[in-house]
Amino acid sequence: SPTCRAATAILVCYAVGHRSSFTELESTWLPMVAENAPVDTVKVLSATKSDLAHVEVSRTEGMALAAKHHMIY
């Protein structure tokens, strides 16, 4: 995506109550960022809807994914 090519920072989000939003990060969004964003782009992973009782993705999983892809969590 041309919108990533000039980015200095990228915020990638997933909803903790929807596992599919988390799994799509590795299958769709993170490969697109890796392919198109400059190497020195700051990447941040953010969990949304963490105030809700229904949780399908743990904080530990989010932190592990962030670490795997050199992202701030």
Side-chain angles (χ1 to χ4, degrees):
S1 170
T3 57
C4 289
R5 292 197 176 114
T8 56
I10 294 177
L11 176 63
V12 181
C13 301
Y14 66 94
V16 298
H18 298 280
R19 177 150 300 271
S20 63
S21 72
F22 185 75
T23 57
E24 287 174 8
L25 293 176
E26 284 202 290
S27 66
T28 303
W29 299 107
L30 295 178
M32 188 221 23
V33 168
E35 184 176 318
N36 295 291
V39 175
D40 60 345
T41 300
V42 175
K43 296 177 282 295
V44 179
L45 180 62
S46 178
T48 65
K49 302 184 180 184
S50 59
D51 58 322
L52 301 178
H54 178 74
V55 174
E56 293 182 8
V57 182
S58 71
R59 178 178 172 86
T60 303
E61 289 176 285
M63 292 175 73
L65 183 68
K68 178 180 176 181
H69 292 278
H70 310 288
M71 301 174 79
I72 298 167
Y73 183 82

